[in-house]
Amino acid sequence: MDRQIVFKCPRTGMNVQHRLGDEPADRTHVSVSCPACTGLHLLDRSTGKPAGDRRN
Ligand SMILES: [Zn+2]
C-alpha cells in the first residue's frame, strides 16, 4: 500500500515528498534517502515528521 508523505528536510528546510511502500509495516520509523540533501532521515511513519536527525 503506497502512501505519499511530505517531510521537511532538517538540513535544507525544503519540503520533500517520499512514497512509503517498501518499508516493513511493523516499524514505526523509516529511514529515507533525502533528495534535497542526499542524506538519510529517520521519519515517523504515521506523521511523516523527522524523528530526530542527530544520528545521521
Ligand atoms: Zn534532507
Side-chain angles (χ1 to χ4, degrees):
M1 178 164 70
D2 283 2
R3 192 161 67 91
Q4 194 97 348
I5 60 172
V6 179
F7 66 95
K8 188 171 186 176
C9 172
R11 288 188 191 172
T12 67
M14 292 175 58
N15 287 324
V16 179
Q17 290 190 349
H18 177 74
R19 179 179 297 174
L20 295 175
D22 293 335
E23 294 86 357
D26 61 341
R27 300 178 63 182
T28 55
H29 294 81
V30 292
S31 57
V32 302
S33 57
C34 176
C37 71
T38 69
L40 283 176
H41 299 311
L42 195 64
L43 304 182
D44 188 309
R45 276 183 72 99
S46 54
T47 65
K49 298 230 170 91
D53 199 31
R54 298 208 179 93
R55 293 193 304 162
N56 210 16

